[in-house]
Amino acid sequence: MKSIPLGVENFGEVIQNSYYVDHTLFIEELERLTPTSAVLILRPRRFGKSLTLSMLRFFYESDKNERDALFGGLKISNNKKVMSGQKKPVLHIKLKDLKPKDYSSLIQGFYALIEEEYLRQRAIWGEKLRCSLLDTWKTSGFNEYDLQSSLYELSKALYNFTGKRVYLLIDEYDTPISNAKYHDYFDDAISFFRTLYGKALKGNDFIEKSVVTGILRIAKQSLFSETNNFVLDDGLQTAFTEPCGFTYAECADLLRYYGAEKSMDNVVTWYGGYRFGDTLCVNPWSVLSYLFYQKRFATYWVSSASNSELSTVSSADKISIVSLNRLLGGMEKVKADIAENINYQQIDYSMDSFYLYLRAAGYLSLSEYTEDNAAMMCIPNREIEITFPNEVIKRYTHGLNDQRHLASQIKQAFSSGDADLIQRLFEDELLPSFSYFDFGSEKSYQIMVLTLAALLFENSMVQSEAITGEGRCDILIAPKNEMDYGAVLEIKYLKARTSQERLQKSAQGALKQIADNRYCSWLIREKANPIYAYGISFQGQRVAVAVQRIK
C-alpha cells in the first residue's frame, strides 16, 4: 500500500512513493491556451497548489523517457502529442516562506530566491548558461531596481541558451504582500511586485506560459496594472477542471484505497462543503490528516499553520459580529457583491470584501449565486464550525477596547463560579446591547455565549457541540495545559415569558444534564483544575445561572 502524502509538495517524491490524486489533465488544459497566457489560480492554503506547480515543473523539465517514467499511467499519458513534447525551461519561484518584517529584508530575501533559482537552472542546463544581470551582482552588488528585472532577464537568458520559451511558475504570490500589510510596508511591497510582474508577464516574448498561485486576488489596479492577459480561476469563476483540491469523487476513491470508504459521509460533513465553480471539494490536508492519524476526526487544517492571512485585517469593530455569530450557527448565509478584485486596504471597511476574503481563505464557501450576481456564502463544514470562534471571531474583536473592563468582570465571574455575578452582568450589561430579534432560538443564545467564551478564554480551546462523556455538550472550555481552568456550559432557552423560579429550574435541569451525561469526564481525564459546570437558561433578556464546581 502506498504511503499517505501528507505535507509532501514534491511531485517526484509523491509519484514514486505515495498515493497521488491525478490532476495531470491540467497540463492538457494549459496547453490549449494561447502562447504567453498567464494563469492565476486561487485556493485556500493547504489545498495542493504547490504540488500542482511541482507537477508542472517535473512534466516540462523532463525529456521523453523521464516523462514516460513519471507520468505513465496517469491521465495525461493518453495525450500522445503533449507527452511527446520536448524538454522545456521552467522558472519556479516559491514565495510562501518570504515573510520578512521589513522592506529591506524582503528585497534581500527575494534576491536569495532568484540566486537560488539561477543556480538550479545552471545545474539543469550546464555551466555555460549565463545571465549577465545576475552575474554582475557577484562583483558589483545589486539594487532593488535591477532585481525587478530579474525574472525577465532570467527568462531571456534561458530562451537564448535553449532556443525554447520558458514556463514561469510563481507559487503563493500574495504571501509577501499579505505579510507586508501586517508589518506596515504594504505600499513599498506592492510597488516592487507590480514592476516585477509587469516586466515578467506583460509582453515578454521569452515566456511560453505563466502559472501563478495564491490565496487572495489582490486589486488589479494595485498589483497587476501592467498585466492584462490573466486567465483567472479563483473558485468563483473557474477556467479549469479542478486543478488542486480533492473532488468528492476523488475523495471517495482515496478513502476506498485505504479501506475507509464507509466514512465518506462523515468525511464530507467534517471536511467537505467547498464549492469551486460547480465542483464540490473536500479539504485535502484535512482528509489526508484524517487517514494519517488513524482515521480520527479532528481540526487538522486550522492547526497546520499560523493562518497569517487572517492577521491582515486590523480589528473587528468595523464588522458585524452578529452576522458572524449567525453564520457560526448555520442560521443564515451571508451575501457579498462580487467585485472584480478584493482590495487589501478595503477589507477592514467593506463587508463584501471581508466575506469574500474569508471565502478565499477557506473559512466560508460559495453556496449559490443570486439573481443580481451576488454570492451567498456559508460555513462549509464541521471543522470550520468548531474553529470559527477562535480563528475568526476572536481575531476580529481584539479592537473592542471599550469593553475590556466588562470582559474582565465576566471572565472573573466564570473563572470563580460566581453565578449571581454572571447573571447580573448578562442582564445589566451584555444582553441589553443586543436586539430582542437577534435571539429567537436556543442556538442563537448558544452562539452568543460561545463567541463570548472564545474571546474571554483566548488561551484555551473553546468548542461547540464537543463530544465528551456520553454525548455532546453545548460548549467546552478546554485547557491547553494541565492544571488550568476548564468548564462545560449547557444552554437552555424558554420562548414564552416565565417566572424567575421556572427559569432557574431550567438552568438546574441543564446542570443535571451535564452530570447525567458525564460531560466533564474529558476535562477530568485531562487534569483540568478547577473544573466548573454551568447550566444557563435564557428567556428574552433575562437569564438564570446554575453552577457546580466539579474539581
Side-chain angles (χ1 to χ4, degrees):
M1 180 173 288
K2 295 182 178 180
S3 63
I4 299 167
L6 182 62
V8 184
E9 298 176 344
N10 183 290
F11 175 80
E13 294 178 14
V14 171
I15 205 64
Q16 290 181 11
N17 306 310
S18 306
Y19 187 99
Y20 175 64
V21 175
D22 192 343
H23 289 144
T24 57
L25 286 184
F26 177 54
I27 300 169
E28 188 177 88
E29 294 178 299
L30 187 63
E31 287 303 300
R32 293 187 188 131
L33 300 178
T34 58
T36 74
S37 292
V39 173
L40 179 60
I41 296 175
L42 302 178
R43 293 294 185 273
R45 62 178 181 82
R46 303 288 195 185
F47 262 66
K49 301 183 296 293
S50 297
L51 179 59
T52 293
L53 290 195
S54 177
M55 178 267 294
L56 293 178
R57 178 173 71 81
F58 271 88
F59 185 86
Y60 290 114
E61 279 186 349
S62 299
D63 61 28
K64 187 178 185 307
N65 291 334
E66 294 169 332
R67 193 174 294 152
D68 287 341
L70 286 169
F71 292 85
L74 298 179
K75 294 176 182 177
I76 191 62
S77 64
N78 294 320
N79 190 321
K80 303 305 181 184
K81 180 180 179 181
V82 174
M83 285 289 290
S84 62
Q86 293 182 322
K87 178 179 179 179
K88 304 288 179 60
V90 180
L91 284 174
H92 191 185
I93 308 298
K94 306 173 186 178
L95 298 179
K96 67 177 182 177
D97 294 323
L98 189 58
K99 304 175 183 178
K101 293 183 178 180
D102 55 63
Y103 181 64
S104 176
S105 299
L106 172 71
I107 297 304
Q108 290 289 337
F110 189 76
Y111 165 76
L113 289 176
I114 291 298
E115 184 69 21
E116 179 183 4
E117 183 62 13
Y118 182 36
L119 293 175
R120 193 182 76 85
Q121 294 299 329
R122 296 189 69 196
I124 294 171
W125 299 101
E127 294 296 316
K128 291 183 179 181
L129 171 66
R130 312 300 304 187
C131 178
S132 57
L133 176 66
L134 272 66
D135 290 338
T136 59
W137 291 350
K138 295 179 181 179
T139 55
S140 305
F142 76 97
N143 59 63
E144 64 180 89
Y145 305 106
D146 287 341
L147 196 60
Q148 289 172 323
S149 302
S150 57
L151 292 179
Y152 174 84
E153 292 294 334
L154 264 178
S155 63
K156 177 182 177 181
L158 281 167
Y159 175 81
N160 288 337
F161 186 80
T162 66
K164 302 166 187 172
R165 294 201 291 196
V166 177
Y167 285 80
L168 174 61
L169 311 178
I170 301 176
D171 196 15
E172 303 290 6
Y173 86 101
D174 55 336
T175 293
I177 306 298
S178 173
N179 179 76
K181 184 176 188 295
Y182 182 70
H183 289 290
D184 297 323
Y185 61 93
F186 178 81
D187 290 340
D188 289 335
I190 280 288
S191 177
F192 173 80
F193 283 107
R194 181 197 302 128
T195 303
L196 174 80
Y197 294 141
K199 291 183 176 182
L201 300 175
K202 184 179 181 181
N204 184 353
D205 293 333
F206 308 118
I207 296 292
E208 177 66 22
K209 303 277 171 57
S210 301
V211 182
V212 182
T213 70
I215 295 172
L216 191 67
R217 185 170 43 149
I218 299 173
K220 186 173 181 179
Q221 63 269 26
S222 296
L223 188 58
F224 293 117
S225 58
E226 300 301 319
T227 306
N228 54 15
N229 60 340
F230 263 142
V231 177
L232 176 65
D233 188 321
D234 66 350
L236 290 175
Q237 62 183 71
T238 54
F240 307 100
T241 305
E242 182 54 37
C244 299
F246 297 173
T247 66
Y248 282 12
E250 290 167 341
C251 179
D253 290 341
L254 173 70
L255 295 176
R256 190 177 302 110
Y257 180 82
Y258 289 105
E261 61 270 21
K262 293 182 180 179
S263 65
M264 178 65 183
D265 289 344
N266 287 332
V267 166
V268 169
T269 298
W270 269 83
Y271 307 123
Y274 291 99
R275 179 182 168 188
F276 305 117
D278 294 324
T279 303
L280 285 170
C281 293
V282 298
N283 184 319
W285 177 269
S286 295
V287 174
L288 291 175
S289 297
Y290 163 77
L291 292 170
F292 187 85
Y293 293 106
Q294 306 299 311
K295 302 180 180 66
R296 183 174 67 88
F297 289 104
T299 55
Y300 298 110
W301 178 71
V302 173
S303 305
S304 66
S306 64
N307 290 300
S308 58
E309 70 272 5
L310 290 177
S311 301
T312 60
V313 179
S314 60
S315 73
D317 52 342
K318 302 160 188 172
I319 66 171
S320 169
I321 297 300
V322 172
S323 293
L324 292 178
N325 288 342
R326 288 175 172 170
L327 264 175
L328 179 60
M331 296 170 63
E332 65 177 32
K333 301 170 184 177
V334 293
K335 178 180 178 181
D337 291 331
I338 305 174
E340 181 182 356
N341 295 274
I342 302 172
N343 190 323
Y344 260 110
Q345 287 126 320
Q346 292 178 352
I347 293 172
D348 292 339
Y349 306 99
S350 165
M351 286 302 296
D352 288 337
S353 291
F354 176 70
Y355 289 141
L356 289 169
Y357 184 71
L358 287 181
R359 187 209 67 83
Y363 292 90
L364 295 178
S365 178
L366 175 67
S367 175
E368 59 192 283
Y369 290 106
T370 63
E371 292 181 357
D372 57 351
N373 198 36
M376 301 299 297
M377 289 171 284
C378 60
I379 289 178
N381 53 50
R382 176 72 177 149
E383 180 178 34
I384 300 302
E385 181 185 8
I386 290 172
T387 57
F388 203 79
N390 284 305
E391 291 300 317
V392 179
I393 296 177
K394 183 187 294 185
R395 288 176 183 265
Y396 299 127
T397 52
H398 64 80
L400 302 176
N401 295 323
D402 58 330
Q403 299 296 322
R404 282 186 177 180
H405 179 62
L406 173 60
S408 177
Q409 287 182 298
I410 296 175
K411 181 177 182 179
Q412 180 58 36
F414 271 103
S415 299
S416 60
D418 193 334
D420 291 338
L421 181 57
I422 293 171
Q423 177 181 336
R424 183 176 64 79
L425 291 172
F426 268 61
E427 289 187 343
D428 296 348
E429 303 290 344
L430 185 63
L431 291 176
S433 66
F434 291 90
S435 165
Y436 173 81
F437 297 102
D438 288 328
F439 300 111
S441 67
E442 182 175 297
K443 189 69 172 179
S444 60
Y445 285 102
Q446 180 182 334
I447 293 165
M448 184 267 291
V449 177
L450 175 66
T451 304
L452 180 66
L455 300 176
L456 297 179
F457 295 95
E458 58 185 15
N459 294 321
S460 303
M461 287 299 299
V462 179
Q463 297 184 34
S464 67
E465 302 291 340
I467 300 174
T468 179
E470 297 177 9
R472 294 178 183 267
C473 65
D474 284 342
I475 300 169
L476 177 71
I477 302 174
K480 293 182 179 179
N481 303 301
E482 291 184 0
M483 307 306 290
D484 281 348
Y485 176 84
V488 171
L489 286 69
E490 194 66 27
I491 309 300
K492 298 299 180 184
Y493 163 67
L494 300 181
K495 185 175 182 179
R497 184 166 181 83
T498 188
S499 66
Q500 188 65 29
E501 181 181 359
R502 187 179 174 209
L503 199 62
Q504 189 66 41
K505 186 176 180 180
S506 174
Q508 290 291 345
L511 200 61
K512 184 178 185 299
Q513 181 179 336
I514 294 174
D516 291 346
N517 291 285
R518 302 189 303 110
Y519 287 160
C520 292
S521 60
W522 189 89
L523 294 175
I524 295 171
R525 186 172 65 252
E526 294 299 313
K527 299 181 180 180
N529 189 19
I531 301 173
Y532 285 94
Y534 286 97
I536 306 176
S537 186
F538 292 94
Q539 189 280 312
Q541 295 187 344
R542 297 166 58 227
V543 61
V545 181
V547 61
Q548 180 183 359
R549 180 162 180 169
I550 306 301
K551 180 180 179 181

